[in-house]
């Protein structure tokens, strides 16, 4: 992340805003990119005065909302086969296990998975395409998408900006109170949101692992049992006849 921040610091502010919007937008379409790292690095640059925090947050929110909407359209047009192809291309991030967990999250939480998914790396990438593939109504999706994108972008940016400014002020004037208040307020809100998001993810994982055995396998087992019983009956009849 330090390398990304150093690389961004050499660019004009306008280019940094475009990079923030572009990377986060492409990530939201379903392509694994370090969107959060770019946002965090840019927010820390804002604390040093290189860029303006409101423009960083606005660029991140714009990229998240537009990227998710484009991902939704792609998913709705391409359906689940598109997600399977993406899984083959990016097996580490979008493999069958990750796709199953994301689908389980949508099945259990609906559009709330879109909102809280903004704070979870897996759903941040898959929310748009998966919502489109599952034919979630676009108005409901857009509402959750916009709310999640705005809270994530502005919350992350201003949290890091405030902490960075407080740290700089502390280093100059030894202002413990400002640093402690900024850190506690920022960490408290981020902790709550991430805890809620990871709770949802953990519940989905547990539900997926406890899912009942598919009906086809159960029927196959029952059929095998009946066949065994018939065979056993036949053998017993043969023995009795021979006796």
């Amino acid at each position: 992340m330090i390398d990304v921040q150093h690389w961004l610091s050499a660019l004009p502010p306008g280019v940094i805003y475009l990079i923030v919007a572009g990377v986060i937008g492409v990530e939201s379409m379903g392509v694994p990119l370090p969107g959060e790292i770019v946002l965090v690095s840019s927010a820390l640059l804002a604390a040093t005065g290189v860029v303006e925090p409101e423009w960083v947050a606005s660029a991140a929110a714009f990229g998240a909302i537009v990227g998710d909407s484009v991902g939704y359209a792609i998913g709705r047009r391409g359906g689940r086969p598109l997600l399977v192809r993406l899984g083959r291309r990016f097996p580490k991030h979008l493999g069958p296990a990750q796709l199953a967990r994301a689908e389980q999250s949508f099945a259990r939480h609906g559009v709330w998975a879109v909102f809280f998914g903004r704070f979870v790396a897996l759903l941040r990438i898959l929310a748009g395409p998966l919502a489109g593939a599952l034919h979630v109504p676009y108005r409901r999706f857009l509402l959750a998408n916009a709310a999640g994108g705005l809270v994530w972008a502005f919350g992350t940016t201003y949290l890091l900006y405030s902490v960075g400014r407080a740290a700089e002020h502390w280093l100059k004037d030894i202002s413990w109170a400002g640093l402690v208040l900024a850190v506690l307020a920022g960490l408290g809100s981020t902790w709550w949101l991430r805890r809620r998001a990871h709770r949802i993810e953990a519940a989905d994982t547990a539900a997926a692992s406890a899912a009942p055995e598919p009906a086809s396998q159960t029927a196959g087992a029952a059929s095998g049992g009946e066949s065994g019983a018939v065979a056993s009956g036949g053998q017993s009849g043969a023995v009795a006849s021979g006796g």
Side-chain angles (χ1 to χ4, degrees):
M1 188 175 71
I2 296 176
D3 291 338
V4 173
Q5 185 178 346
H6 178 72
W7 175 71
L8 289 173
S9 65
L11 301 173
V15 176
I16 295 176
Y17 304 141
L18 289 175
I19 290 174
V20 170
V23 171
I24 292 174
V26 174
E27 179 191 45
S28 300
M29 294 178 196
V31 179
L33 288 179
E36 192 167 41
I37 292 177
V38 170
L39 176 59
V40 168
S41 300
S42 301
L44 292 175
L45 285 178
T48 63
V50 175
V51 290
E52 297 298 327
E54 62 269 23
W55 284 105
V56 172
S58 298
F62 177 81
I65 295 169
V66 173
D68 268 342
S69 294
V70 173
Y72 176 94
I74 294 172
R76 193 174 181 90
R77 186 178 182 84
R80 203 177 190 286
L82 172 66
L83 299 176
V84 173
R85 287 198 298 273
L86 281 173
R88 286 198 295 265
R89 187 172 182 82
F90 306 104
K92 183 178 178 181
H93 299 88
L94 307 175
Q98 289 85 352
L99 180 57
R101 283 167 55 198
E103 286 182 325
Q104 185 71 20
S105 181
F106 266 85
R108 287 172 60 85
H109 307 291
V111 292
W112 283 107
V114 178
F115 179 86
F116 285 106
R118 207 14 84 180
F119 300 88
V120 179
L122 170 64
L123 285 178
R124 187 163 56 247
I125 299 171
L126 279 174
L130 189 56
L134 296 177
H135 294 275
V136 174
Y138 180 69
R139 287 184 180 179
R140 294 175 59 200
F141 167 79
L142 181 60
L143 179 62
N145 172 35
L150 288 169
V151 171
W152 174 74
F154 279 85
T156 301
T157 300
Y158 277 96
L159 164 65
L160 294 167
Y161 173 77
S162 300
V163 171
R165 295 290 291 176
E168 183 181 359
H169 185 65
W170 169 71
L171 290 173
K172 288 180 179 178
D173 301 329
I174 319 296
S175 178
W176 284 94
L179 177 64
V180 170
L181 287 176
V183 170
L184 288 179
L187 290 180
S189 59
T190 302
W191 172 82
W192 185 86
L193 286 168
R194 287 191 178 277
R195 183 170 176 267
R196 181 68 186 270
H198 283 295
R199 226 197 215 159
I200 291 173
E201 188 180 15
D204 295 336
T205 303
S209 63
E213 190 176 331
S216 59
Q217 295 183 9
T218 305
S223 175
E226 291 176 2
S227 300
V230 171
S232 175
Q235 291 174 0
S236 300
V239 171
S241 175

